């Protein structure tokens, strides 16, 4: 099989993975466990890892102590290659995971919570997918249980989780219902939603390529990270054989209303696809929904001004405008202001430089990640008020990767889906046409411009009524009528 098959959207069905226990792993795995206190639960987590079916020489465990008091210590029952790393700067889960990932030697990063007890095949089940191709994120399963009176020795010796925990009484994760409803995420529109923190695995290179977790996000950090992974173009694969129990109920069960409120600001600002969180009118968000790229090279200021005004005045306001041009050519040396050969370019820079919704760059980036959509179009064809809204509406119906609108003059405007661009960038060889790859993974569609640049509405025709003709009485007839009236007796 091709080491990087062009998978369609999130359908990983073409991948064939080995059966558990019937193959020879080759990739090394670094299990990164952020921990803040909770020594007793961590002891059970490490005991379960010590009994894993994955080869010892290919697995290391990094317990990242995030300021525990007393400090975390390593118990007697633990994997062979286990060490504690102390956090020196910063705090929080994201910062701890990043600290562990920087110290990791494994080709695969396995993120695991310090209160998770994994089944013996957990690491093997998730790692086997990464031996097939290298742009997957694999997700383990979990059930929530109250902590029973079990010892690390019992955990280490148990063959199945059911020997230790009353699984029939366990609380299932809501993500498992989503996975089942979407055919194992193969038909999910936003599979990153179920990639939550307790257990997932991904290539170390992919982890660092997206910048790791965001230390400024203290709630929902796993979902935000998974969203950026989606923009990078990965495929999310849940594995039902990677079972685990979470010791204790989640925070949502203790105070759901506050837990939801605490996470909302982080997701609203950083995940534009959460349109339900961006209903406040007139707001500006950290990550915009659409990047509008206009090439302004050799273009007059008046044309660009009109294009920018149209871009910012559409029905869809959640945008940023990128003006691509030779801005680096502009120096600050002495010059004649009025006869400057770069007069138009400087004028545009001075006009737009202080608007936070407008960016001046020499060349657009390969993808606009984490912004989920990017528009390219001729600068002298201003956007209609409905253009972006209708283009996104069109591609969201079937998750098309690129929509190309053919303009009447033979040119084209295009809307690109960032996750499709990311996937194509991962898969395409040097010099390859990205649209060819996107046509396979997400689809490329051409449409005429009428719907996206509708013609101005013509006023309704005005019907003018015919004038009413009032008969005019001849003067002599009028005089005779008056004489008769005067001679008539009273």
């Amino acid at each position: 099989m091709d080491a990087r098959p062009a998978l369609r959207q999130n359908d990983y069905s073409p991948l064939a993975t080995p059966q558990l226990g019937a193959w020879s792993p080759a990739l090394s795995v670094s299990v990164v466990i952020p921990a803040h206190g909770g020594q007793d639960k961590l002891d059970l987590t490490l005991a379960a890892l010590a009994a894993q079916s994955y080869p010892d020489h290919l697995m290391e465990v990094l317990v990242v102590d995030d300021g525990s008091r007393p400090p975390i210590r390593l118990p007697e029952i633990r994997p062979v290659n286990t060490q504690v790393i102390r956090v020196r700067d910063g705090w929080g889960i994201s910062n701890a995971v990043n600290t562990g990932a920087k110290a990791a030697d494994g080709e695969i990063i396995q993120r695991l919570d310090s209160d998770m007890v994994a089944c013996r095949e957990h690491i093997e089940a998730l790692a086997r997918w990464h031996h097939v191709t290298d742009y997957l994120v694999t997700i383990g399963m979990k059930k929530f249980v109250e902590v029973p009176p079990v010892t690390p020795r019992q955990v280490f010796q148990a063959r199945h989780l059911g020997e230790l925990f009353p699984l029939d009484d366990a609380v299932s994760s809501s993500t498992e219902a989503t996975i089942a409803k979407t055919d194992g995420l193969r038909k999910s529109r936003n599979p990153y939603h179920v990639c939550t923190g307790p257990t997932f695995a991904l290539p170390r290179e992919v982890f660092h390529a997206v910048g790791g977790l965001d230390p400024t996000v203290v709630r929902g950090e796993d979902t935000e990270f998974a969203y950026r992974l989606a923009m990078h173009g990965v495929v999310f694969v849940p594995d039902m054989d990677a079972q685990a129990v979470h010791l204790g109920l989640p925070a949502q069960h203790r105070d759901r209303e506050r837990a939801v409120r605490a996470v909302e600001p982080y997701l609203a600002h950083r995940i534009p696809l959460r349109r339900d969180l961006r209903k406040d009118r007139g707001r500006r968000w950290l990550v915009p929904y659409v990047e509008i790229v206009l090439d302004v090279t050799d273009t007059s200021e008046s044309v660009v001004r009109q294009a920018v005004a149209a871009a910012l005045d559409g029905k869809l306001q959640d945008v940023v405008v990128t003006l691509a041009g030779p801005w680096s050519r502009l120096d600050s040396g002495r010059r004649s202001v009025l006869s400057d050969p770069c007069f138009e370019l400087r004028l545009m820079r001075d006009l737009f430089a202080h608007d936070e919704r407008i960016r001046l760059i020499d060349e657009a980036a390969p993808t606009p990640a984490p912004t989920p959509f990017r528009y390219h179009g001729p600068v002298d064809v201003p956007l209609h008020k409905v253009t972006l809204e209708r283009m996104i509406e069109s591609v969201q119906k079937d998750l098309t990767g690129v929509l190309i609108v053919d303009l009447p003059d033979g040119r084209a405007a295009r809307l690109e889906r960032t996750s499709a661009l990311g996937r194509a960038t991962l898969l395409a060889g040097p010099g390859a046409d990205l649209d060819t790859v996107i046509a396979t993974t997400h689809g490329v569609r051409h449409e005429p411009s009428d719907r996206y640049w509708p013609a101005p509405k013509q006023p309704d025709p005005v019907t003018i009524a015919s004038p009413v003709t009032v008969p005019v009485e001849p003067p002599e007839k009028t005089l005779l009528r008056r004489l008769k009236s005067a001679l008539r007796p009273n």
Side-chain angles (χ1 to χ4, degrees), residues 455-460:
K457 186 178 180 181
Q458 298 298 319
D460 294 333

Side-chain angles (χ1 to χ4, degrees), residues 66-288:
D66 184 23
S68 302
R69 294 291 180 268
I72 293 294
R73 55 166 180 76
L74 290 181
E76 177 187 354
I77 302 178
R78 62 180 188 269
V80 174
N81 302 310
T82 303
Q83 61 176 304
V84 174
I85 298 174
R86 312 288 180 189
V87 173
R88 303 302 179 190
D89 298 303
W91 67 278
I93 294 175
S94 296
N95 186 64
V97 173
N98 290 345
T99 300
K102 288 176 184 176
D105 292 327
E107 295 156 285
I108 301 170
I109 300 290
Q110 166 73 56
R111 156 89 159 85
L112 193 68
D113 271 0
S114 61
D115 51 6
M116 295 278 285
V117 175
C119 71
R120 285 176 174 264
E121 302 80 20
H122 196 95
I123 303 300
E124 180 189 353
L126 296 185
R128 59 180 168 170
W129 293 91
H130 301 289
H131 286 71
V132 178
T133 192
D134 62 355
Y135 68 101
L136 309 177
V137 175
T138 50
I139 306 167
M141 303 297 106
K142 61 184 180 295
K143 295 183 185 300
F144 298 93
V145 299
E146 296 292 354
V147 185
V150 297
T151 66
R153 177 66 58 185
Q154 289 173 312
V155 170
F156 177 72
Q157 294 175 340
R159 301 300 303 174
H160 305 285
L161 292 176
E163 299 175 19
L164 302 167
F165 307 102
L167 298 183
D168 290 341
D169 298 328
V171 177
S172 297
S173 168
S174 59
T175 60
E176 293 192 18
T178 301
I179 290 168
K181 198 162 42 178
T182 57
D183 188 24
L185 296 185
R186 294 176 184 88
K187 297 178 181 178
S188 174
R189 296 179 62 85
N190 294 300
Y192 70 88
H193 274 309
V194 305
C195 186
T196 54
T199 170
F200 64 82
L202 73 167
R204 183 179 61 185
E205 289 186 3
V206 172
F207 181 96
H208 292 300
V210 301
L213 278 73
D214 186 344
T216 67
V217 179
V218 299
R219 291 291 300 180
E221 71 287 335
D222 43 10
T223 303
E224 190 276 335
F225 177 59
Y227 167 76
R228 282 186 284 118
L229 288 170
M231 296 302 102
H232 190 66
V234 306
V235 172
F236 295 90
V237 181
D239 193 313
M240 301 306 293
D241 289 324
Q243 291 291 328
V245 296
H246 188 288
L247 302 174
L249 296 178
Q252 289 88 334
H253 282 245
R254 296 192 298 270
D255 190 341
R256 179 172 179 78
E257 187 266 345
R258 179 160 287 198
V260 170
R261 290 179 60 201
V263 76
E264 179 180 339
Y266 297 106
L267 302 189
H269 271 290
R270 292 165 176 81
I271 304 183
L273 294 180
R274 288 296 305 270
R275 306 311 293 160
D276 57 312
L277 301 180
R278 293 192 174 187
K279 293 181 178 179
D280 297 345
R281 295 177 60 83
R283 292 290 307 278
R284 293 286 177 264
W285 306 96
L286 179 63
V287 179

